[in-house]
Amino acid sequence: MALKRLEEFRLYYNQTIQPELLRMERERLRMVTFMAASLALMAGVIILELYIDVLVLTLMLSIPLGIYVIFLWRRMEEFRNRFKPRIVRLILDFIDDGLNFDPSNPLIYTPDGFIGKERFVASRLFDTPAHEYKGEDKIEGKVGEMFFQLSELRVGEISILRNRLDAVFSGVFLHAVFNEPTIGAIVVWPRSRQQFLTNAVRAFTFEGGLSKDDEILNTEFRSIFMTYATEDTPVAHILSPPMQEALVEFTKTHRKDLYISFLNRDIHLGLWEDKDLLEPYVLRSNLSFDKIREFFEDIHSLLHLVEVFDQTH
């Protein structure tokens, strides 16, 4: 990401996002203070009951306190549910002004929406029954001539050998559509996760996929990614040198595993992220530029890749 763009975001953060964070921080501190005071009172009631051993008095004191604690707990959950949508919308307002967006198609954000399981499986990036499939924070829009949708996803499958849920994918998943159809299919996997991709690679090769590493002239790209494609696919045309450079730069900057597939008109990008992005804390401060910046950089950079795809296709 260009340093100038990050500096612009820092200024936007100071002027627009931080005031909202400060307002929500005051709300968080009030809730935590009231919760701590209520729990201290409940502890006092329990000690009093042990001392005087009058059950009726204890119930008279503890019941309203217990109801108040439940009320505060629900307020905290509401705070968590409100925090992310408010901050994400502010970040998207900034992103909307920066990339090659169509003004008539502004970004649409749906906090509880996510990309469907059928689309995820159709990407060919993972071969999984996806026993667990959860998502949130769906963002839709148009970059240049390409429509896209992205969301956070958590996908897992039950391991037969170990009888536990293994992570298949965790992070941001993006689906975009080329303006014109392409020929064949390309799947690009992170070489660092090769040991976990045996089934996915086998499934794609069963459908006619072949290793195309020898057609990739960018040595850094070959060291980071494994490239497979069907026999009739013009790999160098679809996965053009500028596109390869952009993908290498992305992984070097973010240091996160990236999955890519090109299937006719459909592009899929999966950015592995272990933690939930922008999930708020309740017991400690959320005033952190780095926390906000990471979410911005991930989303902005993925959309920049879509812009590159649009311009080089």
Side-chain angles (χ1 to χ4, degrees):
M1 180 183 298
L3 182 59
K4 180 182 177 182
R5 189 59 176 158
L6 190 56
E7 290 174 350
E8 290 173 350
F9 181 70
R10 182 65 194 241
L11 182 62
Y12 178 80
Y13 170 85
N14 291 337
Q15 295 177 344
T16 306
I17 298 178
Q18 191 175 48
E20 179 65 17
L21 287 175
L22 286 169
R23 193 196 66 74
M24 299 194 77
E25 181 67 8
R26 289 192 291 268
E27 180 182 348
R28 185 192 70 82
L29 287 172
R30 283 196 300 270
M31 288 190 299
V32 171
T33 300
F34 290 147
M35 177 65 81
S38 300
L39 292 175
L41 283 173
M42 287 194 72
V45 168
I46 293 172
I47 293 171
L48 179 64
E49 203 284 323
L50 293 174
Y51 180 73
I52 63 175
D53 197 22
V54 180
L55 181 60
V56 175
L57 178 61
T58 302
L59 290 174
M60 290 177 61
L61 294 173
S62 62
I63 289 176
L65 275 173
I67 293 173
Y68 186 61
V69 167
I70 294 173
F71 166 76
L72 287 175
W73 183 262
R74 288 181 177 175
R75 285 285 303 277
M76 289 182 177
E77 288 300 306
E78 290 172 3
F79 170 83
R80 290 173 62 90
N81 292 334
R82 290 197 316 271
F83 179 91
K84 193 172 183 179
R86 288 186 182 182
I87 303 305
V88 169
R89 287 190 174 98
L90 292 176
I91 294 173
L92 293 182
D93 285 344
F94 178 80
I95 293 176
D96 220 342
D97 294 333
L99 291 173
N100 185 21
F101 286 110
D102 182 350
S104 63
N105 288 281
L107 296 177
I108 300 171
Y109 173 56
T110 310
D112 57 353
F114 55 91
I115 292 175
K117 181 176 176 179
E118 183 178 348
R119 170 53 56 190
F120 177 81
V121 173
S123 72
R124 300 294 191 274
L125 292 171
F126 308 93
D127 181 51
T128 176
H131 299 113
E132 179 185 65
Y133 192 86
K134 298 178 180 179
E136 61 181 348
D137 298 319
K138 186 177 183 181
I139 300 170
E140 302 170 87
K142 187 179 182 183
V143 178
E145 296 299 319
M146 296 180 66
F147 287 98
F148 76 89
Q149 57 177 333
L150 66 83
S151 70
E152 288 190 53
L153 292 179
R154 297 287 181 270
V155 184
E157 65 181 22
I158 298 173
S159 171
I160 299 175
L161 297 177
R162 291 176 289 184
N163 193 29
R164 72 176 190 184
L165 196 67
D166 290 338
V168 173
F169 177 74
S170 173
V172 181
F173 189 82
L174 181 147
H175 169 232
V177 182
F178 275 129
N179 194 37
E180 297 176 355
T182 58
I183 299 172
I186 302 176
V187 181
V188 180
W189 287 289
R191 199 172 291 277
S192 62
R193 298 190 68 84
Q194 184 173 2
Q195 61 177 317
F196 304 109
L197 295 167
T198 304
N199 290 340
V201 174
R202 185 188 297 117
F204 188 64
T205 54
F206 183 76
E207 296 174 4
L210 302 168
S211 174
K212 296 292 183 175
D213 285 342
D214 58 342
E215 297 186 28
I216 303 296
L217 301 181
N218 188 316
T219 55
E220 283 191 289
F221 189 94
R222 287 202 308 269
S223 68
I224 296 171
F225 298 107
M226 305 182 298
T227 304
Y228 282 74
T230 51
E231 191 170 4
D232 57 345
T233 304
V235 175
H237 174 69
I238 299 173
L239 197 58
S240 62
M243 198 178 292
Q244 293 176 36
E245 291 174 12
L247 292 168
V248 167
E249 185 60 31
F250 181 95
T251 54
K252 288 168 65 176
T253 300
H254 292 265
R255 299 184 182 279
K256 297 174 182 178
D257 291 322
L258 184 65
Y259 304 71
I260 314 106
S261 70
F262 303 86
L263 309 174
N264 196 358
R265 295 179 60 189
D266 295 301
I267 304 172
H268 307 90
L269 294 172
L271 179 64
W272 189 283
E273 176 64 71
D274 289 318
K275 60 180 179 293
D276 288 336
L277 295 171
L278 265 188
E279 289 301 321
Y281 303 117
V282 173
L283 299 180
R284 61 172 170 155
S285 175
N286 293 292
L287 292 173
S288 169
F289 174 70
D290 290 338
K291 182 184 182 76
I292 307 300
R293 184 193 65 193
E294 183 177 14
F295 182 88
F296 162 69
E297 287 182 334
D298 282 355
I299 302 303
H300 183 276
S301 297
L302 282 174
L303 296 185
H304 176 65
L305 288 179
V306 175
E307 189 176 35
V308 172
F309 296 162
D310 177 60
Q311 292 173 350
T312 59
H313 182 252

PDB file of all heavy atoms in Angstrom, residues 184-217:
ATOM      1  N   GLY A 184     -10.723 -21.717 -19.500  1.00  0.00           N
ATOM      2  CA  GLY A 184     -10.062 -22.623 -18.579  1.00  0.00           C
ATOM      3  C   GLY A 184     -10.187 -22.237 -17.121  1.00  0.00           C
ATOM      4  O   GLY A 184     -11.049 -21.446 -16.721  1.00  0.00           O
ATOM      5  N   ALA A 185      -9.285 -22.799 -16.312  1.00  0.00           N
ATOM      6  CA  ALA A 185      -9.326 -22.594 -14.863  1.00  0.00           C
ATOM      7  C   ALA A 185      -7.910 -22.586 -14.307  1.00  0.00           C
ATOM      8  O   ALA A 185      -7.071 -23.387 -14.707  1.00  0.00           O
ATOM      9  CB  ALA A 185     -10.142 -23.706 -14.207  1.00  0.00           C
ATOM     10  N   ILE A 186      -7.658 -21.676 -13.384  1.00  0.00           N
ATOM     11  CA  ILE A 186      -6.368 -21.574 -12.693  1.00  0.00           C
ATOM     12  C   ILE A 186      -6.634 -21.562 -11.192  1.00  0.00           C
ATOM     13  O   ILE A 186      -7.536 -20.862 -10.729  1.00  0.00           O
ATOM     14  CB  ILE A 186      -5.614 -20.290 -13.075  1.00  0.00           C
ATOM     15  CG1 ILE A 186      -5.363 -20.207 -14.569  1.00  0.00           C
ATOM     16  CG2 ILE A 186      -4.283 -20.209 -12.315  1.00  0.00           C
ATOM     17  CD1 ILE A 186      -4.710 -18.903 -14.999  1.00  0.00           C
ATOM     18  N   VAL A 187      -5.849 -22.348 -10.454  1.00  0.00           N
ATOM     19  CA  VAL A 187      -5.905 -22.307  -8.990  1.00  0.00           C
ATOM     20  C   VAL A 187      -4.492 -22.075  -8.472  1.00  0.00           C
ATOM     21  O   VAL A 187      -3.554 -22.754  -8.888  1.00  0.00           O
ATOM     22  CB  VAL A 187      -6.483 -23.611  -8.401  1.00  0.00           C
ATOM     23  CG1 VAL A 187      -6.552 -23.500  -6.888  1.00  0.00           C
ATOM     24  CG2 VAL A 187      -7.857 -23.904  -8.976  1.00  0.00           C
ATOM     25  N   VAL A 188      -4.365 -21.101  -7.590  1.00  0.00           N
ATOM     26  CA  VAL A 188      -3.066 -20.732  -7.027  1.00  0.00           C
ATOM     27  C   VAL A 188      -3.140 -20.892  -5.519  1.00  0.00           C
ATOM     28  O   VAL A 188      -3.958 -20.241  -4.858  1.00  0.00           O
ATOM     29  CB  VAL A 188      -2.698 -19.278  -7.402  1.00  0.00           C
ATOM     30  CG1 VAL A 188      -1.345 -18.906  -6.805  1.00  0.00           C
ATOM     31  CG2 VAL A 188      -2.689 -19.099  -8.911  1.00  0.00           C
ATOM     32  N   TRP A 189      -2.293 -21.765  -4.979  1.00  0.00           N
ATOM     33  CA  TRP A 189      -2.290 -22.041  -3.545  1.00  0.00           C
ATOM     34  C   TRP A 189      -1.000 -21.540  -2.904  1.00  0.00           C
ATOM     35  O   TRP A 189       0.062 -21.562  -3.539  1.00  0.00           O
ATOM     36  CB  TRP A 189      -2.390 -23.546  -3.286  1.00  0.00           C
ATOM     37  CG  TRP A 189      -3.727 -24.152  -3.537  1.00  0.00           C
ATOM     38  CD1 TRP A 189      -4.855 -23.984  -2.799  1.00  0.00           C
ATOM     39  CD2 TRP A 189      -4.077 -25.063  -4.590  1.00  0.00           C
ATOM     40  NE1 TRP A 189      -5.890 -24.729  -3.323  1.00  0.00           N
ATOM     41  CE2 TRP A 189      -5.440 -25.408  -4.427  1.00  0.00           C
ATOM     42  CE3 TRP A 189      -3.365 -25.625  -5.648  1.00  0.00           C
ATOM     43  CZ2 TRP A 189      -6.099 -26.275  -5.276  1.00  0.00           C
ATOM     44  CZ3 TRP A 189      -4.023 -26.495  -6.514  1.00  0.00           C
ATOM     45  CH2 TRP A 189      -5.382 -26.813  -6.327  1.00  0.00           C
ATOM     46  N   PRO A 190      -1.049 -21.142  -1.628  1.00  0.00           N
ATOM     47  CA  PRO A 190       0.189 -20.753  -0.933  1.00  0.00           C
ATOM     48  C   PRO A 190       1.070 -21.981  -0.686  1.00  0.00           C
ATOM     49  O   PRO A 190       0.613 -22.980  -0.129  1.00  0.00           O
ATOM     50  CB  PRO A 190      -0.321 -20.144   0.378  1.00  0.00           C
ATOM     51  CG  PRO A 190      -1.660 -20.756   0.593  1.00  0.00           C
ATOM     52  CD  PRO A 190      -2.239 -20.977  -0.782  1.00  0.00           C
ATOM     53  N   ARG A 191       2.304 -21.908  -1.114  1.00  0.00           N
ATOM     54  CA  ARG A 191       3.212 -23.044  -0.974  1.00  0.00           C
ATOM     55  C   ARG A 191       3.456 -23.381   0.498  1.00  0.00           C
ATOM     56  O   ARG A 191       3.716 -24.546   0.844  1.00  0.00           O
ATOM     57  CB  ARG A 191       4.538 -22.735  -1.679  1.00  0.00           C
ATOM     58  CG  ARG A 191       5.368 -23.957  -2.003  1.00  0.00           C
ATOM     59  CD  ARG A 191       6.560 -23.611  -2.875  1.00  0.00           C
ATOM     60  NE  ARG A 191       6.178 -23.223  -4.220  1.00  0.00           N
ATOM     61  CZ  ARG A 191       5.928 -24.074  -5.202  1.00  0.00           C
ATOM     62  NH1 ARG A 191       6.011 -25.379  -4.978  1.00  0.00           N
ATOM     63  NH2 ARG A 191       5.599 -23.652  -6.415  1.00  0.00           N
ATOM     64  N   SER A 192       3.343 -22.382   1.376  1.00  0.00           N
ATOM     65  CA  SER A 192       3.600 -22.605   2.799  1.00  0.00           C
ATOM     66  C   SER A 192       2.579 -23.536   3.437  1.00  0.00           C
ATOM     67  O   SER A 192       2.824 -24.115   4.498  1.00  0.00           O
ATOM     68  CB  SER A 192       3.610 -21.269   3.551  1.00  0.00           C
ATOM     69  OG  SER A 192       2.346 -20.626   3.449  1.00  0.00           O
ATOM     70  N   ARG A 193       1.416 -23.707   2.811  1.00  0.00           N
ATOM     71  CA  ARG A 193       0.366 -24.561   3.368  1.00  0.00           C
ATOM     72  C   ARG A 193       0.157 -25.825   2.526  1.00  0.00           C
ATOM     73  O   ARG A 193      -0.914 -26.435   2.549  1.00  0.00           O
ATOM     74  CB  ARG A 193      -0.948 -23.776   3.497  1.00  0.00           C
ATOM     75  CG  ARG A 193      -0.842 -22.592   4.443  1.00  0.00           C
ATOM     76  CD  ARG A 193      -2.194 -21.978   4.759  1.00  0.00           C
ATOM     77  NE  ARG A 193      -3.016 -22.869   5.548  1.00  0.00           N
ATOM     78  CZ  ARG A 193      -2.957 -22.986   6.877  1.00  0.00           C
ATOM     79  NH1 ARG A 193      -2.092 -22.278   7.559  1.00  0.00           N
ATOM     80  NH2 ARG A 193      -3.766 -23.815   7.511  1.00  0.00           N
ATOM     81  N   GLN A 194       1.178 -26.206   1.803  1.00  0.00           N
ATOM     82  CA  GLN A 194       1.092 -27.344   0.887  1.00  0.00           C
ATOM     83  C   GLN A 194       0.646 -28.623   1.581  1.00  0.00           C
ATOM     84  O   GLN A 194      -0.149 -29.403   1.039  1.00  0.00           O
ATOM     85  CB  GLN A 194       2.451 -27.563   0.214  1.00  0.00           C
ATOM     86  CG  GLN A 194       2.452 -28.665  -0.846  1.00  0.00           C
ATOM     87  CD  GLN A 194       3.771 -28.716  -1.594  1.00  0.00           C
ATOM     88  OE1 GLN A 194       4.692 -27.968  -1.302  1.00  0.00           O
ATOM     89  NE2 GLN A 194       3.872 -29.599  -2.572  1.00  0.00           N
ATOM     90  N   GLN A 195       1.125 -28.861   2.815  1.00  0.00           N
ATOM     91  CA  GLN A 195       0.790 -30.092   3.519  1.00  0.00           C
ATOM     92  C   GLN A 195      -0.691 -30.201   3.859  1.00  0.00           C
ATOM     93  O   GLN A 195      -1.206 -31.302   4.074  1.00  0.00           O
ATOM     94  CB  GLN A 195       1.623 -30.190   4.805  1.00  0.00           C
ATOM     95  CG  GLN A 195       1.372 -29.040   5.787  1.00  0.00           C
ATOM     96  CD  GLN A 195       2.157 -29.197   7.067  1.00  0.00           C
ATOM     97  OE1 GLN A 195       2.231 -30.289   7.613  1.00  0.00           O
ATOM     98  NE2 GLN A 195       2.759 -28.110   7.537  1.00  0.00           N
ATOM     99  N   PHE A 196      -1.393 -29.047   3.909  1.00  0.00           N
ATOM    100  CA  PHE A 196      -2.822 -29.060   4.241  1.00  0.00           C
ATOM    101  C   PHE A 196      -3.712 -29.054   2.996  1.00  0.00           C
ATOM    102  O   PHE A 196      -4.941 -29.058   3.124  1.00  0.00           O
ATOM    103  CB  PHE A 196      -3.172 -27.840   5.098  1.00  0.00           C
ATOM    104  CG  PHE A 196      -2.350 -27.711   6.349  1.00  0.00           C
ATOM    105  CD1 PHE A 196      -1.389 -26.714   6.455  1.00  0.00           C
ATOM    106  CD2 PHE A 196      -2.516 -28.594   7.408  1.00  0.00           C
ATOM    107  CE1 PHE A 196      -0.617 -26.592   7.602  1.00  0.00           C
ATOM    108  CE2 PHE A 196      -1.752 -28.480   8.556  1.00  0.00           C
ATOM    109  CZ  PHE A 196      -0.794 -27.481   8.656  1.00  0.00           C
ATOM    110  N   LEU A 197      -3.095 -29.040   1.820  1.00  0.00           N
ATOM    111  CA  LEU A 197      -3.858 -28.865   0.589  1.00  0.00           C
ATOM    112  C   LEU A 197      -3.873 -30.112  -0.294  1.00  0.00           C
ATOM    113  O   LEU A 197      -4.258 -30.043  -1.462  1.00  0.00           O
ATOM    114  CB  LEU A 197      -3.271 -27.688  -0.205  1.00  0.00           C
ATOM    115  CG  LEU A 197      -3.404 -26.320   0.466  1.00  0.00           C
ATOM    116  CD1 LEU A 197      -2.520 -25.288  -0.225  1.00  0.00           C
ATOM    117  CD2 LEU A 197      -4.856 -25.864   0.460  1.00  0.00           C
ATOM    118  N   THR A 198      -3.463 -31.236   0.264  1.00  0.00           N
ATOM    119  CA  THR A 198      -3.373 -32.464  -0.523  1.00  0.00           C
ATOM    120  C   THR A 198      -4.695 -32.816  -1.195  1.00  0.00           C
ATOM    121  O   THR A 198      -4.739 -33.126  -2.397  1.00  0.00           O
ATOM    122  CB  THR A 198      -2.926 -33.638   0.367  1.00  0.00           C
ATOM    123  OG1 THR A 198      -1.688 -33.301   1.001  1.00  0.00           O
ATOM    124  CG2 THR A 198      -2.753 -34.894  -0.457  1.00  0.00           C
ATOM    125  N   ASN A 199      -5.786 -32.779  -0.448  1.00  0.00           N
ATOM    126  CA  ASN A 199      -7.089 -33.149  -1.005  1.00  0.00           C
ATOM    127  C   ASN A 199      -7.541 -32.165  -2.078  1.00  0.00           C
ATOM    128  O   ASN A 199      -8.109 -32.564  -3.108  1.00  0.00           O
ATOM    129  CB  ASN A 199      -8.139 -33.223   0.100  1.00  0.00           C
ATOM    130  CG  ASN A 199      -7.918 -34.411   1.025  1.00  0.00           C
ATOM    131  OD1 ASN A 199      -7.241 -35.375   0.668  1.00  0.00           O
ATOM    132  ND2 ASN A 199      -8.480 -34.352   2.219  1.00  0.00           N
ATOM    133  N   ALA A 200      -7.306 -30.880  -1.839  1.00  0.00           N
ATOM    134  CA  ALA A 200      -7.728 -29.859  -2.805  1.00  0.00           C
ATOM    135  C   ALA A 200      -6.946 -30.002  -4.110  1.00  0.00           C
ATOM    136  O   ALA A 200      -7.528 -29.925  -5.204  1.00  0.00           O
ATOM    137  CB  ALA A 200      -7.533 -28.466  -2.211  1.00  0.00           C
ATOM    138  N   VAL A 201      -5.637 -30.217  -4.008  1.00  0.00           N
ATOM    139  CA  VAL A 201      -4.815 -30.386  -5.214  1.00  0.00           C
ATOM    140  C   VAL A 201      -5.222 -31.653  -5.952  1.00  0.00           C
ATOM    141  O   VAL A 201      -5.365 -31.658  -7.187  1.00  0.00           O
ATOM    142  CB  VAL A 201      -3.317 -30.427  -4.843  1.00  0.00           C
ATOM    143  CG1 VAL A 201      -2.476 -30.762  -6.078  1.00  0.00           C
ATOM    144  CG2 VAL A 201      -2.871 -29.096  -4.243  1.00  0.00           C
ATOM    145  N   ARG A 202      -5.436 -32.741  -5.219  1.00  0.00           N
ATOM    146  CA  ARG A 202      -5.842 -34.009  -5.838  1.00  0.00           C
ATOM    147  C   ARG A 202      -7.180 -33.850  -6.566  1.00  0.00           C
ATOM    148  O   ARG A 202      -7.355 -34.353  -7.680  1.00  0.00           O
ATOM    149  CB  ARG A 202      -5.942 -35.102  -4.777  1.00  0.00           C
ATOM    150  CG  ARG A 202      -6.252 -36.471  -5.371  1.00  0.00           C
ATOM    151  CD  ARG A 202      -6.531 -37.507  -4.300  1.00  0.00           C
ATOM    152  NE  ARG A 202      -5.363 -37.741  -3.454  1.00  0.00           N
ATOM    153  CZ  ARG A 202      -5.318 -37.495  -2.153  1.00  0.00           C
ATOM    154  NH1 ARG A 202      -6.394 -36.999  -1.531  1.00  0.00           N
ATOM    155  NH2 ARG A 202      -4.226 -37.732  -1.466  1.00  0.00           N
ATOM    156  N   ALA A 203      -8.119 -33.152  -5.931  1.00  0.00           N
ATOM    157  CA  ALA A 203      -9.437 -32.969  -6.545  1.00  0.00           C
ATOM    158  C   ALA A 203      -9.336 -32.164  -7.838  1.00  0.00           C
ATOM    159  O   ALA A 203      -9.999 -32.477  -8.836  1.00  0.00           O
ATOM    160  CB  ALA A 203     -10.372 -32.270  -5.559  1.00  0.00           C
ATOM    161  N   PHE A 204      -8.485 -31.141  -7.836  1.00  0.00           N
ATOM    162  CA  PHE A 204      -8.358 -30.309  -9.037  1.00  0.00           C
ATOM    163  C   PHE A 204      -7.637 -31.065 -10.155  1.00  0.00           C
ATOM    164  O   PHE A 204      -8.002 -30.949 -11.331  1.00  0.00           O
ATOM    165  CB  PHE A 204      -7.630 -29.012  -8.707  1.00  0.00           C
ATOM    166  CG  PHE A 204      -7.625 -28.021  -9.837  1.00  0.00           C
ATOM    167  CD1 PHE A 204      -8.804 -27.468 -10.312  1.00  0.00           C
ATOM    168  CD2 PHE A 204      -6.435 -27.639 -10.444  1.00  0.00           C
ATOM    169  CE1 PHE A 204      -8.802 -26.559 -11.364  1.00  0.00           C
ATOM    170  CE2 PHE A 204      -6.411 -26.733 -11.490  1.00  0.00           C
ATOM    171  CZ  PHE A 204      -7.609 -26.188 -11.958  1.00  0.00           C
ATOM    172  N   THR A 205      -6.619 -31.820  -9.814  1.00  0.00           N
ATOM    173  CA  THR A 205      -5.908 -32.605 -10.840  1.00  0.00           C
ATOM    174  C   THR A 205      -6.809 -33.703 -11.406  1.00  0.00           C
ATOM    175  O   THR A 205      -6.698 -34.062 -12.581  1.00  0.00           O
ATOM    176  CB  THR A 205      -4.615 -33.219 -10.271  1.00  0.00           C
ATOM    177  OG1 THR A 205      -4.926 -33.984  -9.087  1.00  0.00           O
ATOM    178  CG2 THR A 205      -3.611 -32.140  -9.910  1.00  0.00           C
ATOM    179  N   PHE A 206      -7.710 -34.238 -10.587  1.00  0.00           N
ATOM    180  CA  PHE A 206      -8.671 -35.243 -11.057  1.00  0.00           C
ATOM    181  C   PHE A 206      -9.585 -34.646 -12.125  1.00  0.00           C
ATOM    182  O   PHE A 206     -10.062 -35.345 -13.025  1.00  0.00           O
ATOM    183  CB  PHE A 206      -9.496 -35.765  -9.883  1.00  0.00           C
ATOM    184  CG  PHE A 206     -10.451 -36.858 -10.249  1.00  0.00           C
ATOM    185  CD1 PHE A 206     -10.023 -38.154 -10.471  1.00  0.00           C
ATOM    186  CD2 PHE A 206     -11.811 -36.576 -10.386  1.00  0.00           C
ATOM    187  CE1 PHE A 206     -10.918 -39.159 -10.820  1.00  0.00           C
ATOM    188  CE2 PHE A 206     -12.716 -37.567 -10.733  1.00  0.00           C
ATOM    189  CZ  PHE A 206     -12.266 -38.865 -10.945  1.00  0.00           C
ATOM    190  N   GLU A 207      -9.823 -33.325 -12.021  1.00  0.00           N
ATOM    191  CA  GLU A 207     -10.672 -32.635 -13.000  1.00  0.00           C
ATOM    192  C   GLU A 207      -9.873 -32.156 -14.215  1.00  0.00           C
ATOM    193  O   GLU A 207     -10.405 -31.445 -15.078  1.00  0.00           O
ATOM    194  CB  GLU A 207     -11.360 -31.432 -12.334  1.00  0.00           C
ATOM    195  CG  GLU A 207     -12.316 -31.815 -11.222  1.00  0.00           C
ATOM    196  CD  GLU A 207     -12.856 -30.600 -10.485  1.00  0.00           C
ATOM    197  OE1 GLU A 207     -12.531 -29.464 -10.901  1.00  0.00           O
ATOM    198  OE2 GLU A 207     -13.601 -30.775  -9.506  1.00  0.00           O
ATOM    199  N   GLY A 208      -8.593 -32.518 -14.273  1.00  0.00           N
ATOM    200  CA  GLY A 208      -7.776 -32.149 -15.432  1.00  0.00           C
ATOM    201  C   GLY A 208      -6.753 -31.071 -15.166  1.00  0.00           C
ATOM    202  O   GLY A 208      -6.082 -30.603 -16.100  1.00  0.00           O
ATOM    203  N   GLY A 209      -6.587 -30.684 -13.927  1.00  0.00           N
ATOM    204  CA  GLY A 209      -5.608 -29.661 -13.585  1.00  0.00           C
ATOM    205  C   GLY A 209      -4.183 -30.195 -13.620  1.00  0.00           C
ATOM    206  O   GLY A 209      -3.932 -31.354 -13.262  1.00  0.00           O
ATOM    207  N   LEU A 210      -3.250 -29.353 -14.035  1.00  0.00           N
ATOM    208  CA  LEU A 210      -1.843 -29.715 -14.121  1.00  0.00           C
ATOM    209  C   LEU A 210      -1.000 -28.617 -13.478  1.00  0.00           C
ATOM    210  O   LEU A 210      -1.377 -27.449 -13.475  1.00  0.00           O
ATOM    211  CB  LEU A 210      -1.415 -29.868 -15.589  1.00  0.00           C
ATOM    212  CG  LEU A 210      -2.173 -30.895 -16.433  1.00  0.00           C
ATOM    213  CD1 LEU A 210      -1.822 -30.700 -17.904  1.00  0.00           C
ATOM    214  CD2 LEU A 210      -1.840 -32.308 -15.972  1.00  0.00           C
ATOM    215  N   SER A 211       0.158 -28.993 -12.944  1.00  0.00           N
ATOM    216  CA  SER A 211       1.069 -27.991 -12.403  1.00  0.00           C
ATOM    217  C   SER A 211       1.579 -27.108 -13.538  1.00  0.00           C
ATOM    218  O   SER A 211       2.030 -27.601 -14.573  1.00  0.00           O
ATOM    219  CB  SER A 211       2.248 -28.659 -11.697  1.00  0.00           C
ATOM    220  OG  SER A 211       3.189 -27.672 -11.290  1.00  0.00           O
ATOM    221  N   LYS A 212       1.509 -25.795 -13.348  1.00  0.00           N
ATOM    222  CA  LYS A 212       1.944 -24.837 -14.367  1.00  0.00           C
ATOM    223  C   LYS A 212       3.051 -23.928 -13.840  1.00  0.00           C
ATOM    224  O   LYS A 212       3.239 -22.814 -14.351  1.00  0.00           O
ATOM    225  CB  LYS A 212       0.743 -23.984 -14.821  1.00  0.00           C
ATOM    226  CG  LYS A 212      -0.363 -24.767 -15.507  1.00  0.00           C
ATOM    227  CD  LYS A 212       0.072 -25.298 -16.856  1.00  0.00           C
ATOM    228  CE  LYS A 212      -1.068 -26.018 -17.563  1.00  0.00           C
ATOM    229  NZ  LYS A 212      -0.699 -26.443 -18.928  1.00  0.00           N
ATOM    230  N   ASP A 213       3.778 -24.394 -12.842  1.00  0.00           N
ATOM    231  CA  ASP A 213       4.858 -23.576 -12.289  1.00  0.00           C
ATOM    232  C   ASP A 213       5.886 -23.207 -13.358  1.00  0.00           C
ATOM    233  O   ASP A 213       6.484 -22.126 -13.303  1.00  0.00           O
ATOM    234  CB  ASP A 213       5.562 -24.328 -11.152  1.00  0.00           C
ATOM    235  CG  ASP A 213       4.728 -24.356  -9.882  1.00  0.00           C
ATOM    236  OD1 ASP A 213       3.796 -23.535  -9.771  1.00  0.00           O
ATOM    237  OD2 ASP A 213       4.995 -25.205  -9.001  1.00  0.00           O
ATOM    238  N   ASP A 214       6.062 -24.086 -14.345  1.00  0.00           N
ATOM    239  CA  ASP A 214       7.066 -23.826 -15.379  1.00  0.00           C
ATOM    240  C   ASP A 214       6.651 -22.697 -16.317  1.00  0.00           C
ATOM    241  O   ASP A 214       7.484 -22.173 -17.077  1.00  0.00           O
ATOM    242  CB  ASP A 214       7.352 -25.092 -16.186  1.00  0.00           C
ATOM    243  CG  ASP A 214       6.100 -25.653 -16.851  1.00  0.00           C
ATOM    244  OD1 ASP A 214       4.985 -25.283 -16.425  1.00  0.00           O
ATOM    245  OD2 ASP A 214       6.232 -26.453 -17.793  1.00  0.00           O
ATOM    246  N   GLU A 215       5.379 -22.284 -16.284  1.00  0.00           N
ATOM    247  CA  GLU A 215       4.914 -21.171 -17.109  1.00  0.00           C
ATOM    248  C   GLU A 215       4.964 -19.835 -16.377  1.00  0.00           C
ATOM    249  O   GLU A 215       4.622 -18.803 -16.953  1.00  0.00           O
ATOM    250  CB  GLU A 215       3.492 -21.449 -17.614  1.00  0.00           C
ATOM    251  CG  GLU A 215       3.386 -22.661 -18.524  1.00  0.00           C
ATOM    252  CD  GLU A 215       2.001 -22.823 -19.113  1.00  0.00           C
ATOM    253  OE1 GLU A 215       1.309 -21.795 -19.281  1.00  0.00           O
ATOM    254  OE2 GLU A 215       1.608 -23.980 -19.408  1.00  0.00           O
ATOM    255  N   ILE A 216       5.357 -19.878 -15.104  1.00  0.00           N
ATOM    256  CA  ILE A 216       5.467 -18.659 -14.299  1.00  0.00           C
ATOM    257  C   ILE A 216       6.914 -18.185 -14.333  1.00  0.00           C
ATOM    258  O   ILE A 216       7.823 -18.860 -13.840  1.00  0.00           O
ATOM    259  CB  ILE A 216       5.026 -18.910 -12.845  1.00  0.00           C
ATOM    260  CG1 ILE A 216       3.595 -19.454 -12.800  1.00  0.00           C
ATOM    261  CG2 ILE A 216       5.158 -17.650 -12.022  1.00  0.00           C
ATOM    262  CD1 ILE A 216       2.545 -18.505 -13.323  1.00  0.00           C
ATOM    263  N   LEU A 217       7.164 -17.011 -14.930  1.00  0.00           N
ATOM    264  CA  LEU A 217       8.524 -16.493 -15.063  1.00  0.00           C
ATOM    265  C   LEU A 217       8.982 -15.727 -13.833  1.00  0.00           C
ATOM    266  O   LEU A 217      10.184 -15.561 -13.616  1.00  0.00           O
ATOM    267  CB  LEU A 217       8.606 -15.583 -16.302  1.00  0.00           C
ATOM    268  CG  LEU A 217       8.253 -16.246 -17.642  1.00  0.00           C
ATOM    269  CD1 LEU A 217       8.388 -15.251 -18.783  1.00  0.00           C
ATOM    270  CD2 LEU A 217       9.121 -17.476 -17.884  1.00  0.00           C
TER     271      LEU A 217
END
